């Protein structure tokens, strides 16, 4: 089963991810993330930090996904493992739809076409929702300077996520990310266990 965690920067994904790592050890899940695949992950980080060409960045995110699928996700699914990924394809729909505006006439169609036929859709996606201002204040506490981390941008990213929810209502579980981290963790842990037992 493939579970993904999504949300704007500062929504608390990393805290949730770390918490799940501690709580779900008995299920022996495979914890993974995007971006961060072998050999492409570094190129992606380089592109993000240099605020490079949007098309280069998008192509690298897709390449990272392809390597992630080939080397991590597909083999683990074949071995019937539980996989938990911190970010996945929805991140591209949420973020690259914005960065590719003006670069491609229809970024969403491009994203759909580029994943078509080989990518794998998650079984369950937890989306952490928070106001961009609250997310920003959390992120600025961390001193993050990446160009993604701007409030107006994050508002648009979240809007794109909500559009994906409207299009795929059965896959998404929405989480109010202003709740206490323990409350969020307990709920997500329980939801994963229930689904995994089916
Ligand atoms: P990451 O360092 O994992 O940030 P976070 O801790 O917020 O998850 O990801 C770096 C940035 O890359 C993040 O702002 C989201 C963005 N991103 C995309 O734009 N497209 C993608 O396909 C992915 C996976 C991430």
């Amino acid at each position: 089963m493939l579970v993904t965690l999504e949300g704007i920067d500062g929504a608390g994904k990393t805290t949730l991810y770390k918490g799940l790592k501690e709580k779900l050890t008995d299920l022996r899940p495979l914890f993974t993330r995007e971006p961060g695949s072998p050999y492409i992950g570094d190129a992606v980080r380089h592109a993000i930090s240099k605020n490079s060409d949007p098309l280069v960045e998008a192509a690298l995110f897709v390449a990272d996904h392809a390597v992630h699928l080939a080397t991590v996700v597909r083999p683990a699914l074949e071995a019937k493992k539980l996989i938990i990924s911190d970010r996945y394809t929805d991140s591209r729909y949420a973020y690259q739809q914005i960065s590719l505006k003006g670069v491609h006439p229809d970024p969403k169609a491009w994203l759909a076409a580029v994943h078509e036929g080989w990518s794998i859709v998650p079984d369950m996606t937890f989306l952490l929702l928070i106001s961009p201002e609250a997310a920003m204040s959390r992120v600025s506490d961390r001193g993050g300077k990446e160009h993604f981390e701007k409030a107006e941008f994050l508002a648009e990213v979240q809007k794109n996520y909500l559009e994906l929810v409207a299009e795929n209502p059965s896959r998404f579980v929405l989480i109010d990310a202003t709740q206490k981290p323990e409350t969020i963790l307990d709920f997500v842990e329980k939801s994963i266990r229930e689904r995994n037992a089916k």
Side-chain angles (χ1 to χ4, degrees), residues 7-10 13-14 33-35 45 48 57 61-62 64 86-89 91-93 95-96 142 146 148-149:
I8 59 175
D9 309 69
K13 262 184 327 80
T14 307
R33 57 169 297 129
E34 288 191 10
R45 298 241 164 254
I48 298 173
E57 208 174 79
F61 276 122
V62 174
D64 181 74
D86 181 358
R87 295 197 183 282
Y88 193 77
T89 302
S91 283
R92 272 176 301 292
Y93 279 90
Y95 287 81
Q96 270 63 60
R142 296 204 300 244
E146 289 171 355
F148 291 112
E149 298 171 351

Side-chain angles (χ1 to χ4, degrees), residues 17-66:
Y17 183 78
K18 282 186 187 150
L20 290 172
K21 256 188 184 167
E22 285 172 19
K23 293 255 187 179
L24 292 174
T25 46
D26 59 305
L27 300 180
R28 299 183 187 281
L30 179 83
F31 284 91
T32 184
R33 57 169 297 129
E34 288 191 10
S37 67
Y39 66 89
I40 295 285
D42 286 348
V44 178
R45 298 241 164 254
H46 177 87
I48 298 173
S49 67
K50 294 284 181 286
N51 207 347
S52 70
D53 181 86
L55 195 56
V56 171
E57 208 174 79
L60 285 171
F61 276 122
V62 174
D64 181 74
H65 178 61

